[in-house]
Amino acid sequence: MFPRTRVLSLIALLALTGCDDETPRVKPKDHAEGLYVKGTAEYLQGHFEAALASFDAMKQIAPDDPRLPAARGELYLSMGRLTDAAAEFQAALELEPKRSTNWSRLGFIQAQLGQVEEAQSSLRKALSLFPQDFNALESLGDLDLKKGDHDSAVRHFTLASSAAPSPEQKSALVMRALDVLSSQERYPELLAAAQKAVDDGIHTAEVLATLGDALVRAGNLTEAANAYRDAASRAPRDPTLWELVGEIKTKLDKPGDAISAYKESLRVKDRAIVHVALARIYLGMKDSSAAKEELAAALESVSGQDIREMRELASLLATMDRKPDALRILSTLSAEQDHAKDTELHVATARLASELKDTGILQAACARATAADASLKKCP
């Protein structure tokens, strides 16, 4: 709305309005300007009622100032008073009909009010005056989504991204396009769009991770690992990206690279799931001592809140001849109400209980499995 760096001494002129006759009078134009700047500062500080009072006072002095209704419209919009905001931008357009921002803001508000046809008309008017209005393009994309026109939504979000001024805005907008393609399971198009975004210089962690996901689906594991690694370098607090690199390197039978990636993940955050993955690699390398160290580290760092983590830990315990410990984990998970519909979990619990001849756990797990899936023929 207003540039934050605009700090003018005109505000000080407001203090002069009550001085005696020997003090030079402030011109009405300067007084109005001071009120405008004062209202702007109050708006930026979140003092909406004070800002509104300043703009009301300005209106008494300079009612035809074309900036005033637009400023009041932005203020009302921030206050959630959409109808008032729309009226102000309509007034702004009467004074400045060729200002694209006024049309863009009006169209956005009309969309929020459910006035779809009016919003589309206003937004297209904004773009006819300024084709690079990324806010108008995004708003059109939102309207497209409401209509179920996914192709048009992708196009508008992509155009908005190209027109956006900052890397962060470009990334957020292209991610909206990528999310639409993902929700429609249009994976080849998703891969092409994500790759183009990266080629165009959008190198945020979100876009790179999305590219990595698309490359995995396409079977391009080496390129996917590179994308995840680049994403990890831009999201140093996210341990899952390095974990994904480790998983891919493991599948590519590159244990050294996988170990390095997993250790990078652990530097970000100590997590049991990563220690389990390392233990499995060491088992494959016939290094039982290192595997035991990782199992101990996994048991030390386990959170108990992540079912995937708990199931992987149970599987590792079973592999490393600690099946009773594995069964305790699985039976606890199987008994939790949150996992009542997890047939696979119940059957796995029953299978291990059968192997260890624990009849009580076996019967309870099979009962849960049957309740979760009435078509189940055999348990375990």
Side-chain angles (χ1 to χ4, degrees), residues 7 32 50 94 103 132 140 143 164 217 221 223 230 240 242 273-274 299 302 314 323 332 334 343 365 368 370 373:
V7 181
E94 292 179 8
W103 285 107
Q132 297 299 101
L140 282 174
L143 291 173
R217 290 192 190 92
L221 296 185
E223 293 179 29
D230 289 345
T240 63
W242 279 115
I273 192 75
V274 177
L299 291 169
V302 65
K323 292 181 180 179
T332 299
S334 177
T343 306
R368 295 188 192 103
T370 303
D373 183 0

Side-chain angles (χ1 to χ4, degrees), residues 16-26:
L16 302 177
T17 57
C19 298
D20 57 39
D21 293 339
E22 295 181 1
T23 304
R25 294 282 183 181
V26 177

Side-chain angles (χ1 to χ4, degrees), residues 148-187:
D149 189 345
H150 299 101
D151 287 342
S152 189
V154 169
R155 181 172 62 84
H156 280 126
F157 291 142
T158 303
L159 289 171
S161 175
S162 298
S166 74
E168 294 77 16
Q169 290 168 318
K170 288 180 180 295
S171 175
L173 288 164
V174 82
M175 279 302 303
R176 297 205 64 187
L178 298 178
D179 287 343
V180 173
L181 292 172
S182 179
S183 69
Q184 297 296 301
E185 298 183 357
R186 294 161 59 174
Y187 297 128

Side-chain angles (χ1 to χ4, degrees), residues 86-101:
E88 291 292 344
F89 280 110
Q90 290 280 14
L93 283 167
E94 292 179 8
L95 297 172
E96 289 187 303
K98 292 188 178 181
R99 185 172 185 261
S100 64
T101 302

